[in-house]
Amino acid sequence: KNQVEQSPQSLIILEGKNCTLQCNYTVSPFSNLRWYKQDTGRGPVSLTIMTFSENTKSNGRYTATLDADTKQSSLHITASQLSDSASYICVVSAYSGGGADGLTFGKGTHLIIQP
Amino acid sequence: DGGITQSPKYLFRKEGQNVTLSCEQNLNHDAMYWYRQDPGQGLRLIYYSQIVNDFQKGDIAEGYSVSREKKESFPLTVTSAQKNPTAFYLCASRVSAGTQPQHFGDGTRLSIL
């Protein structure tokens, strides 16, 4: 069964500090891995998407890494801001050959930035 | 601006009542999706559609129905058969080909009266 595990479940850090969120997956055959940011009461917004051959991708202060051998990904947030307070969702896509995209969603890490 | 519009933002359902959630996109995307989000759980796929007049069941389709009469619109009906409908419902769309990510609407929160 395809699974995506995220850690920690929740995290509180002070504004200006860095943090790293983890994602471990058992999805096969692997196609790509995405990180989304979801503000409270809003829909998720895509931050990065990485395929098998990519091991790092940045989007501003967000940097995602992928180790396809160990099936792990991380999302590093640099110099956190209050607006970074949100849930961060890891989504892994398997080649499904069909229309459902073969997506498996993690439960998310709830990040709170304190002033 | 292009995007996905879900309405209403909040919806209340009485016992035995069917309710319909609206999802409209002007991104010219072929594929559209409905997800359910419960606290502490990952998103779960209810229905998806790759083209007009065609749709497929996802992992938790029981108690739900959809239609895809227009490319821009993919409404979801929560029927009285869905015994635990309280949740946050998200609609998404994407281009069919390639690895482009899904674009999500801002959701509808459904509660039971």
Side-chain angles (χ1 to χ4, degrees):
Chain A
K1 180 182 177 183
N2 290 335
Q3 287 188 314
V4 174
E5 300 288 339
Q6 292 188 243
S7 62
Q9 274 190 313
S10 60
L11 180 63
I12 302 174
I13 64 171
L14 293 175
E15 185 179 10
K17 299 296 186 182
N18 303 337
C19 66
T20 300
L21 313 181
Q22 299 291 342
C23 173
N24 296 339
Y25 62 92
T26 54
V27 174
S28 182
F30 177 84
S31 173
N32 59 78
L33 184 146
R34 310 138 188 230
W35 283 94
Y36 282 87
K37 177 188 179 188
Q38 184 177 22
D39 292 317
T40 301
R42 305 290 298 273
V45 175
S46 178
L47 293 175
T48 63
I49 181 168
M50 290 182 290
T51 58
F52 185 89
S53 59
E54 298 172 299
N55 56 23
T56 186
K57 184 164 281 189
S58 292
N59 178 358
R61 294 180 296 101
Y62 301 101
T63 299
T65 64
L66 173 65
D67 186 333
D69 291 331
T70 62
K71 299 186 178 181
Q72 295 180 326
S73 176
S74 65
L75 180 68
H76 185 74
I77 304 175
T78 303
S80 60
Q81 300 176 359
L82 296 179
S83 60
D84 293 330
S85 295
S87 288
Y88 292 84
I89 301 172
C90 176
V91 185
V92 183
S93 176
Y95 283 111
S96 64
D101 292 358
L103 298 181
T104 302
F105 289 80
K107 296 178 180 180
T109 291
H110 186 53
L111 176 64
I112 298 173
I113 310 298
Q114 288 187 335
Chain B
D1 287 339
I4 300 177
T5 301
Q6 290 188 241
S7 62
K9 183 69 174 176
Y10 300 95
L11 187 59
F12 297 90
R13 196 191 88 170
K14 297 179 181 179
E15 292 288 338
Q17 186 181 44
N18 295 349
V19 292
T20 298
L21 285 60
S22 171
C23 178
E24 303 278 335
Q25 55 100 358
N26 60 6
L27 299 166
N28 199 33
H29 287 169
D30 292 308
M32 297 188 74
Y33 309 79
W34 274 105
Y35 292 93
R36 171 178 172 144
Q37 188 174 36
D38 294 282
Q41 294 196 36
L43 272 68
R44 292 183 290 168
L45 182 64
I46 303 172
Y47 269 98
Y48 65 98
S49 168
Q50 293 293 312
I51 57 173
V52 174
N53 292 321
D54 187 54
F55 49 83
Q56 305 295 328
K57 292 182 179 180
D59 300 318
I60 55 166
E62 185 175 350
Y64 300 97
S65 66
V66 294
S67 64
R68 186 86 187 276
E69 297 177 0
K70 298 186 299 181
K71 186 175 185 178
E72 302 79 20
S73 179
F74 191 41
L76 173 74
T77 296
V78 184
T79 74
S80 57
Q82 173 50 244
K83 297 307 180 186
N84 184 24
T86 298
F88 190 51
Y89 290 88
L90 287 162
C91 178
S93 71
R94 56 161 279 178
V95 295
S96 288
T99 59
Q100 291 301 310
Q102 294 177 339
H103 293 255
F104 285 86
D106 276 339
T108 292
R109 187 166 300 280
L110 176 62
S111 303
I112 297 299
L113 284 178

